[in-house]
Amino acid sequence: MEYTTKLKLTLITAKAKDQPKLKFTSLMHLLDVEYLRECFVELQNHKAPGIDRRTKESYSAAEIATALAQTVADLKAHTYRPQPVRRVFIPKANGAMRPLGIPTVMDKTLQLAAAKILEPLFEPLFLNMSYGFRPHRNAHDALKAFNHMVMGQKMNWVIDADIKAFFDNVNHDWLMKCLEQRISDPNFLWLIRRFLKAGVMNGRICESTVHGTPQGGIISPILANIYLHYVLDLWFEKKLKPALRGYAGIVRYADDFVIGAQHRQEADRVLKGIRERCAQFGLTLAEDKTRILEFGRFAAENASRRGRSKPGTFTFLGFTHYCSQTRDGRFAHKVATDRKKFTASLQRQKVWLKSVRNRLKLAAIWKTLVVKMQGHYQYYGVSGNFDGIRSYYQETERQAYKWLNRRSQKRTRNWDSFRNYLERYPLPRPKLAYAFYNTW
């Protein structure tokens, strides 16, 4: 059997599972031309270019063969130097701008290759509380885990925490120490540090990177999980929880996490400990987004006793979480589409409809709109949020009627004719896609 990198990774994965304390001493040799070619093919098509303005599609077969061979030669000679990432900004729901870093195609290829090596080494070490950017786990699983925490544990308080600009503030030295817990190959560690120090091209100005790992880099999610595994997850489970007298649990999705606690005093203690722990590793909590609130089956009763009409709510993973009741009066933890996310989604859709109404044929517009709606249902169509996706359907229907009537200067349809069109070419009706009913 040919001893390819793919086979070697399979063997490494098995060894990493069986020996969680083993350090891997030789990884750099895995980055050969054939493996990099496979990673290049795996890159997503039609993505934004880096600073060299090259896309994946722009490379001919001969060009990519030459480029990959040169990259491997540079790695062996220790002369490989990633190009700075191209900085772009995308709007956030709150009106702020989120910075993204776009590497070149060749750097993306090498980042993907390194990430696929890091994942099997660290995945067996990661704890069950973490859900972001992990195989066979997603945001719905994190939401379900939190739902089960609220409904099945003695949880009366929730810490809604947010790490301020996490990806921009990762400490490189601490991250390298985290990687050294599993890797002792100096050449592979040298490559990771090169990625971290690649720099950022902001317009025509190249800025050095002394800390942080750019959002948009393929390797950034696995590096973030490794960093937070040692900084937060292990510390919370092994050191903080045993010192508490009541229940405490955490659900983390990348750098977004919530913590449930049984007692208010211990919730204060946990939050204080997290602030100190983050400061030790170069991170800070966003104070305007971090708070402790009463949440759980006794929250409504306590709020009424204190003169408030209902308990507080908070947002996690695009959903507003609130305390409610079933039809027979039992406590229920429910979610609804976050209002800011809902508004932003409709605004993006409006801009898109307005931009394509005269550029594309109606059939093409309709086909893409159907895909967009199905994607919305697939994420937001969770237990208890049918009203949210139904409102999205109704607003989308109104948007379609408004902007498709503006394909020409004359109004082309009234509501009756539009209804007839919908009967022939229906938009997908709202449908729940994910259930996190309690099963204990």
Side-chain angles (χ1 to χ4, degrees), residues 9-43:
L9 278 176
T10 302
L11 298 175
I12 286 173
T13 300
K15 186 176 287 190
K17 288 180 180 178
D18 292 340
Q19 303 180 53
K21 294 185 179 180
L22 177 67
K23 286 190 178 184
F24 291 81
T25 60
S26 180
L27 297 171
M28 197 68 164
H29 70 283
L30 298 173
L31 301 173
D32 58 28
V33 173
E34 186 57 37
Y35 176 52
L36 293 185
R37 183 180 290 108
E38 292 174 5
C39 292
F40 173 80
V41 172
E42 285 185 37
L43 293 179

mmCIF file of all heavy atoms in Angstrom, residues 9-43:
data_model
loop_
_atom_site.group_PDB
_atom_site.id
_atom_site.type_symbol
_atom_site.label_atom_id
_atom_site.label_comp_id
_atom_site.label_asym_id
_atom_site.label_seq_id
_atom_site.Cartn_x
_atom_site.Cartn_y
_atom_site.Cartn_z
ATOM 1 N N LEU A 9 -1.976 10.282 8.126
ATOM 2 C CA LEU A 9 -2.901 11.024 8.987
ATOM 3 C C LEU A 9 -3.886 10.084 9.674
ATOM 4 O O LEU A 9 -4.283 10.311 10.820
ATOM 5 C CB LEU A 9 -3.654 12.079 8.175
ATOM 6 C CG LEU A 9 -2.914 13.390 7.919
ATOM 7 C CD1 LEU A 9 -3.737 14.309 7.027
ATOM 8 C CD2 LEU A 9 -2.595 14.099 9.236
ATOM 9 N N THR A 10 -4.306 9.048 8.976
ATOM 10 C CA THR A 10 -5.190 8.055 9.583
ATOM 11 C C THR A 10 -4.506 7.378 10.771
ATOM 12 O O THR A 10 -5.104 7.183 11.836
ATOM 13 C CB THR A 10 -5.602 7.000 8.545
ATOM 14 O OG1 THR A 10 -6.250 7.645 7.453
ATOM 15 C CG2 THR A 10 -6.552 5.977 9.161
ATOM 16 N N LEU A 11 -3.242 7.025 10.581
ATOM 17 C CA LEU A 11 -2.478 6.393 11.666
ATOM 18 C C LEU A 11 -2.247 7.371 12.821
ATOM 19 O O LEU A 11 -2.326 6.991 13.999
ATOM 20 C CB LEU A 11 -1.142 5.891 11.123
ATOM 21 C CG LEU A 11 -1.226 4.819 10.022
ATOM 22 C CD1 LEU A 11 0.164 4.501 9.480
ATOM 23 C CD2 LEU A 11 -1.898 3.558 10.538
ATOM 24 N N ILE A 12 -1.962 8.637 12.490
ATOM 25 C CA ILE A 12 -1.759 9.655 13.520
ATOM 26 C C ILE A 12 -3.042 9.863 14.320
ATOM 27 O O ILE A 12 -3.012 10.011 15.546
ATOM 28 C CB ILE A 12 -1.290 10.969 12.876
ATOM 29 C CG1 ILE A 12 0.180 10.834 12.435
ATOM 30 C CG2 ILE A 12 -1.444 12.141 13.838
ATOM 31 C CD1 ILE A 12 0.684 12.012 11.639
ATOM 32 N N THR A 13 -4.193 9.878 13.631
ATOM 33 C CA THR A 13 -5.481 10.064 14.296
ATOM 34 C C THR A 13 -5.720 8.958 15.318
ATOM 35 O O THR A 13 -6.136 9.212 16.458
ATOM 36 C CB THR A 13 -6.622 10.075 13.262
ATOM 37 O OG1 THR A 13 -6.409 11.140 12.345
ATOM 38 C CG2 THR A 13 -7.966 10.248 13.945
ATOM 39 N N ALA A 14 -5.453 7.712 14.918
ATOM 40 C CA ALA A 14 -5.642 6.580 15.829
ATOM 41 C C ALA A 14 -4.704 6.682 17.031
ATOM 42 O O ALA A 14 -5.098 6.443 18.180
ATOM 43 C CB ALA A 14 -5.418 5.273 15.076
ATOM 44 N N LYS A 15 -3.456 7.058 16.773
ATOM 45 C CA LYS A 15 -2.484 7.168 17.861
ATOM 46 C C LYS A 15 -2.847 8.316 18.808
ATOM 47 O O LYS A 15 -2.690 8.200 20.036
ATOM 48 C CB LYS A 15 -1.083 7.388 17.274
ATOM 49 C CG LYS A 15 0.033 7.364 18.303
ATOM 50 C CD LYS A 15 1.400 7.478 17.648
ATOM 51 C CE LYS A 15 1.768 6.176 16.948
ATOM 52 N NZ LYS A 15 3.191 6.184 16.497
ATOM 53 N N ALA A 16 -3.349 9.422 18.240
ATOM 54 C CA ALA A 16 -3.727 10.570 19.074
ATOM 55 C C ALA A 16 -4.886 10.217 19.999
ATOM 56 O O ALA A 16 -4.947 10.681 21.149
ATOM 57 C CB ALA A 16 -4.100 11.757 18.186
ATOM 58 N N LYS A 17 -5.826 9.391 19.525
ATOM 59 C CA LYS A 17 -6.946 8.973 20.359
ATOM 60 C C LYS A 17 -6.493 8.038 21.472
ATOM 61 O O LYS A 17 -6.949 8.131 22.612
ATOM 62 C CB LYS A 17 -8.006 8.282 19.501
ATOM 63 C CG LYS A 17 -8.793 9.213 18.590
ATOM 64 C CD LYS A 17 -9.815 8.427 17.789
ATOM 65 C CE LYS A 17 -10.626 9.359 16.871
ATOM 66 N NZ LYS A 17 -11.598 8.595 16.051
ATOM 67 N N ASP A 18 -5.596 7.128 21.142
ATOM 68 C CA ASP A 18 -5.162 6.119 22.109
ATOM 69 C C ASP A 18 -4.204 6.685 23.149
ATOM 70 O O ASP A 18 -4.153 6.183 24.277
ATOM 71 C CB ASP A 18 -4.478 4.957 21.376
ATOM 72 C CG ASP A 18 -5.455 4.167 20.517
ATOM 73 O OD1 ASP A 18 -6.678 4.261 20.768
ATOM 74 O OD2 ASP A 18 -4.993 3.473 19.585
ATOM 75 N N GLN A 19 -3.432 7.712 22.771
ATOM 76 C CA GLN A 19 -2.420 8.234 23.684
ATOM 77 C C GLN A 19 -2.567 9.752 23.832
ATOM 78 O O GLN A 19 -1.878 10.534 23.166
ATOM 79 C CB GLN A 19 -1.024 7.898 23.154
ATOM 80 C CG GLN A 19 -0.805 6.402 22.942
ATOM 81 C CD GLN A 19 0.582 6.096 22.408
ATOM 82 O OE1 GLN A 19 1.589 6.520 22.985
ATOM 83 N NE2 GLN A 19 0.644 5.354 21.307
ATOM 84 N N PRO A 20 -3.490 10.186 24.669
ATOM 85 C CA PRO A 20 -3.769 11.634 24.787
ATOM 86 C C PRO A 20 -2.608 12.464 25.309
ATOM 87 O O PRO A 20 -2.609 13.680 25.155
ATOM 88 C CB PRO A 20 -4.963 11.681 25.759
ATOM 89 C CG PRO A 20 -4.935 10.376 26.478
ATOM 90 C CD PRO A 20 -4.374 9.384 25.524
ATOM 91 N N LYS A 21 -1.619 11.841 25.915
ATOM 92 C CA LYS A 21 -0.470 12.597 26.438
ATOM 93 C C LYS A 21 0.741 12.535 25.507
ATOM 94 O O LYS A 21 1.779 13.139 25.809
ATOM 95 C CB LYS A 21 -0.090 12.072 27.822
ATOM 96 C CG LYS A 21 -1.158 12.324 28.876
ATOM 97 C CD LYS A 21 -0.678 11.894 30.251
ATOM 98 C CE LYS A 21 -1.746 12.175 31.311
ATOM 99 N NZ LYS A 21 -1.301 11.774 32.674
ATOM 100 N N LEU A 22 0.590 11.856 24.391
ATOM 101 C CA LEU A 22 1.714 11.716 23.461
ATOM 102 C C LEU A 22 2.001 13.031 22.743
ATOM 103 O O LEU A 22 1.084 13.732 22.314
ATOM 104 C CB LEU A 22 1.395 10.627 22.431
ATOM 105 C CG LEU A 22 2.439 10.393 21.338
ATOM 106 C CD1 LEU A 22 3.717 9.809 21.928
ATOM 107 C CD2 LEU A 22 1.875 9.471 20.252
ATOM 108 N N LYS A 23 3.298 13.350 22.606
ATOM 109 C CA LYS A 23 3.710 14.507 21.814
ATOM 110 C C LYS A 23 4.253 14.011 20.473
ATOM 111 O O LYS A 23 5.013 13.041 20.428
ATOM 112 C CB LYS A 23 4.782 15.321 22.544
ATOM 113 C CG LYS A 23 4.256 16.131 23.718
ATOM 114 C CD LYS A 23 5.318 17.091 24.221
ATOM 115 C CE LYS A 23 4.792 17.945 25.361
ATOM 116 N NZ LYS A 23 5.788 18.944 25.806
ATOM 117 N N PHE A 24 3.864 14.709 19.409
ATOM 118 C CA PHE A 24 4.257 14.294 18.064
ATOM 119 C C PHE A 24 5.504 15.060 17.641
ATOM 120 O O PHE A 24 5.527 16.290 17.643
ATOM 121 C CB PHE A 24 3.100 14.512 17.091
ATOM 122 C CG PHE A 24 1.957 13.565 17.334
ATOM 123 C CD1 PHE A 24 1.024 13.814 18.334
ATOM 124 C CD2 PHE A 24 1.836 12.397 16.591
ATOM 125 C CE1 PHE A 24 -0.019 12.930 18.577
ATOM 126 C CE2 PHE A 24 0.796 11.509 16.823
ATOM 127 C CZ PHE A 24 -0.135 11.769 17.813
ATOM 128 N N THR A 25 6.517 14.293 17.271
ATOM 129 C CA THR A 25 7.840 14.875 17.035
ATOM 130 C C THR A 25 8.150 15.131 15.569
ATOM 131 O O THR A 25 9.086 15.864 15.261
ATOM 132 C CB THR A 25 8.928 13.947 17.594
ATOM 133 O OG1 THR A 25 8.822 12.668 16.931
ATOM 134 C CG2 THR A 25 8.758 13.748 19.091
ATOM 135 N N SER A 26 7.376 14.528 14.651
ATOM 136 C CA SER A 26 7.692 14.657 13.227
ATOM 137 C C SER A 26 6.410 14.811 12.420
ATOM 138 O O SER A 26 5.695 13.830 12.173
ATOM 139 C CB SER A 26 8.474 13.426 12.757
ATOM 140 O OG SER A 26 8.792 13.529 11.394
ATOM 141 N N LEU A 27 6.131 16.040 12.015
ATOM 142 C CA LEU A 27 4.904 16.340 11.266
ATOM 143 C C LEU A 27 5.182 17.056 9.948
ATOM 144 O O LEU A 27 4.396 16.968 9.009
ATOM 145 C CB LEU A 27 3.967 17.210 12.115
ATOM 146 C CG LEU A 27 3.439 16.585 13.406
ATOM 147 C CD1 LEU A 27 2.715 17.643 14.229
ATOM 148 C CD2 LEU A 27 2.517 15.412 13.122
ATOM 149 N N MET A 28 6.299 17.763 9.886
ATOM 150 C CA MET A 28 6.564 18.615 8.725
ATOM 151 C C MET A 28 6.652 17.812 7.425
ATOM 152 O O MET A 28 6.265 18.294 6.355
ATOM 153 C CB MET A 28 7.860 19.391 8.948
ATOM 154 C CG MET A 28 8.030 20.577 8.023
ATOM 155 S SD MET A 28 6.810 21.881 8.376
ATOM 156 C CE MET A 28 7.571 23.259 7.519
ATOM 157 N N HIS A 29 7.120 16.568 7.512
ATOM 158 C CA HIS A 29 7.288 15.767 6.305
ATOM 159 C C HIS A 29 5.945 15.409 5.658
ATOM 160 O O HIS A 29 5.905 14.977 4.504
ATOM 161 C CB HIS A 29 8.047 14.483 6.634
ATOM 162 C CG HIS A 29 7.245 13.515 7.459
ATOM 163 N ND1 HIS A 29 7.046 13.671 8.810
ATOM 164 C CD2 HIS A 29 6.558 12.392 7.100
ATOM 165 C CE1 HIS A 29 6.302 12.684 9.265
ATOM 166 N NE2 HIS A 29 5.985 11.892 8.248
ATOM 167 N N LEU A 30 4.852 15.583 6.387
ATOM 168 C CA LEU A 30 3.529 15.300 5.825
ATOM 169 C C LEU A 30 3.156 16.277 4.718
ATOM 170 O O LEU A 30 2.315 15.982 3.867
ATOM 171 C CB LEU A 30 2.472 15.352 6.929
ATOM 172 C CG LEU A 30 2.620 14.345 8.071
ATOM 173 C CD1 LEU A 30 1.609 14.637 9.160
ATOM 174 C CD2 LEU A 30 2.469 12.928 7.561
ATOM 175 N N LEU A 31 3.775 17.446 4.723
ATOM 176 C CA LEU A 31 3.417 18.499 3.757
ATOM 177 C C LEU A 31 4.175 18.287 2.448
ATOM 178 O O LEU A 31 5.056 19.052 2.077
ATOM 179 C CB LEU A 31 3.733 19.873 4.351
ATOM 180 C CG LEU A 31 3.008 20.206 5.664
ATOM 181 C CD1 LEU A 31 3.519 21.512 6.247
ATOM 182 C CD2 LEU A 31 1.502 20.286 5.432
ATOM 183 N N ASP A 32 3.800 17.243 1.737
ATOM 184 C CA ASP A 32 4.427 16.980 0.442
ATOM 185 C C ASP A 32 3.554 17.510 -0.694
ATOM 186 O O ASP A 32 2.429 17.996 -0.474
ATOM 187 C CB ASP A 32 4.713 15.492 0.260
ATOM 188 C CG ASP A 32 3.457 14.617 0.374
ATOM 189 O OD1 ASP A 32 2.352 15.106 0.078
ATOM 190 O OD2 ASP A 32 3.582 13.447 0.764
ATOM 191 N N VAL A 33 4.035 17.421 -1.907
ATOM 192 C CA VAL A 33 3.342 18.019 -3.056
ATOM 193 C C VAL A 33 1.972 17.393 -3.277
ATOM 194 O O VAL A 33 0.983 18.100 -3.522
ATOM 195 C CB VAL A 33 4.208 17.891 -4.325
ATOM 196 C CG1 VAL A 33 3.418 18.346 -5.557
ATOM 197 C CG2 VAL A 33 5.488 18.708 -4.187
ATOM 198 N N GLU A 34 1.894 16.080 -3.186
ATOM 199 C CA GLU A 34 0.621 15.406 -3.453
ATOM 200 C C GLU A 34 -0.447 15.809 -2.435
ATOM 201 O O GLU A 34 -1.601 16.050 -2.772
ATOM 202 C CB GLU A 34 0.822 13.890 -3.436
ATOM 203 C CG GLU A 34 -0.409 13.104 -3.857
ATOM 204 C CD GLU A 34 -0.903 13.489 -5.249
ATOM 205 O OE1 GLU A 34 -0.069 13.758 -6.135
ATOM 206 O OE2 GLU A 34 -2.137 13.556 -5.435
ATOM 207 N N TYR A 35 -0.055 15.886 -1.173
ATOM 208 C CA TYR A 35 -0.995 16.294 -0.120
ATOM 209 C C TYR A 35 -1.448 17.741 -0.325
ATOM 210 O O TYR A 35 -2.633 18.053 -0.196
ATOM 211 C CB TYR A 35 -0.316 16.120 1.235
ATOM 212 C CG TYR A 35 -1.130 16.596 2.410
ATOM 213 C CD1 TYR A 35 -2.433 16.170 2.611
ATOM 214 C CD2 TYR A 35 -0.581 17.475 3.352
ATOM 215 C CE1 TYR A 35 -3.172 16.607 3.709
ATOM 216 C CE2 TYR A 35 -1.300 17.905 4.448
ATOM 217 C CZ TYR A 35 -2.596 17.468 4.619
ATOM 218 O OH TYR A 35 -3.321 17.902 5.691
ATOM 219 N N LEU A 36 -0.525 18.623 -0.672
ATOM 220 C CA LEU A 36 -0.899 20.014 -0.916
ATOM 221 C C LEU A 36 -1.808 20.129 -2.133
ATOM 222 O O LEU A 36 -2.706 20.975 -2.166
ATOM 223 C CB LEU A 36 0.350 20.877 -1.097
ATOM 224 C CG LEU A 36 1.236 21.058 0.148
ATOM 225 C CD1 LEU A 36 2.358 22.044 -0.151
ATOM 226 C CD2 LEU A 36 0.435 21.521 1.348
ATOM 227 N N ARG A 37 -1.598 19.278 -3.136
ATOM 228 C CA ARG A 37 -2.476 19.308 -4.311
ATOM 229 C C ARG A 37 -3.902 18.921 -3.904
ATOM 230 O O ARG A 37 -4.878 19.527 -4.362
ATOM 231 C CB ARG A 37 -1.958 18.363 -5.396
ATOM 232 C CG ARG A 37 -2.808 18.404 -6.673
ATOM 233 C CD ARG A 37 -2.301 17.469 -7.749
ATOM 234 N NE ARG A 37 -1.026 17.958 -8.303
ATOM 235 C CZ ARG A 37 0.144 17.402 -8.090
ATOM 236 N NH1 ARG A 37 0.239 16.331 -7.314
ATOM 237 N NH2 ARG A 37 1.242 17.905 -8.631
ATOM 238 N N GLU A 38 -4.048 17.926 -3.046
ATOM 239 C CA GLU A 38 -5.372 17.536 -2.562
ATOM 240 C C GLU A 38 -6.028 18.686 -1.790
ATOM 241 O O GLU A 38 -7.234 18.921 -1.925
ATOM 242 C CB GLU A 38 -5.258 16.300 -1.665
ATOM 243 C CG GLU A 38 -4.845 15.036 -2.390
ATOM 244 C CD GLU A 38 -4.612 13.878 -1.431
ATOM 245 O OE1 GLU A 38 -4.865 14.067 -0.221
ATOM 246 O OE2 GLU A 38 -4.186 12.803 -1.887
ATOM 247 N N CYS A 39 -5.244 19.388 -0.994
ATOM 248 C CA CYS A 39 -5.779 20.521 -0.233
ATOM 249 C C CYS A 39 -6.190 21.656 -1.165
ATOM 250 O O CYS A 39 -7.208 22.323 -0.932
ATOM 251 C CB CYS A 39 -4.753 21.006 0.786
ATOM 252 S SG CYS A 39 -4.449 19.825 2.120
ATOM 253 N N PHE A 40 -5.403 21.891 -2.201
ATOM 254 C CA PHE A 40 -5.752 22.918 -3.182
ATOM 255 C C PHE A 40 -7.104 22.603 -3.822
ATOM 256 O O PHE A 40 -7.958 23.485 -3.976
ATOM 257 C CB PHE A 40 -4.674 23.026 -4.250
ATOM 258 C CG PHE A 40 -5.035 23.939 -5.392
ATOM 259 C CD1 PHE A 40 -4.907 25.317 -5.277
ATOM 260 C CD2 PHE A 40 -5.519 23.422 -6.590
ATOM 261 C CE1 PHE A 40 -5.250 26.158 -6.319
ATOM 262 C CE2 PHE A 40 -5.856 24.252 -7.645
ATOM 263 C CZ PHE A 40 -5.730 25.625 -7.506
ATOM 264 N N VAL A 41 -7.318 21.358 -4.193
ATOM 265 C CA VAL A 41 -8.594 20.959 -4.810
ATOM 266 C C VAL A 41 -9.750 21.170 -3.838
ATOM 267 O O VAL A 41 -10.861 21.537 -4.233
ATOM 268 C CB VAL A 41 -8.522 19.486 -5.262
ATOM 269 C CG1 VAL A 41 -9.893 18.998 -5.734
ATOM 270 C CG2 VAL A 41 -7.490 19.315 -6.368
ATOM 271 N N GLU A 42 -9.502 20.967 -2.542
ATOM 272 C CA GLU A 42 -10.558 21.119 -1.532
ATOM 273 C C GLU A 42 -10.950 22.574 -1.294
ATOM 274 O O GLU A 42 -12.020 22.831 -0.733
ATOM 275 C CB GLU A 42 -10.114 20.505 -0.210
ATOM 276 C CG GLU A 42 -10.146 18.992 -0.187
ATOM 277 C CD GLU A 42 -9.806 18.463 1.186
ATOM 278 O OE1 GLU A 42 -10.213 19.090 2.192
ATOM 279 O OE2 GLU A 42 -9.122 17.430 1.275
ATOM 280 N N LEU A 43 -10.114 23.522 -1.648
ATOM 281 C CA LEU A 43 -10.456 24.930 -1.418
ATOM 282 C C LEU A 43 -11.770 25.265 -2.122
ATOM 283 O O LEU A 43 -12.049 24.785 -3.215
ATOM 284 C CB LEU A 43 -9.351 25.845 -1.945
ATOM 285 C CG LEU A 43 -7.992 25.799 -1.244
ATOM 286 C CD1 LEU A 43 -7.034 26.756 -1.929
ATOM 287 C CD2 LEU A 43 -8.121 26.124 0.230
#
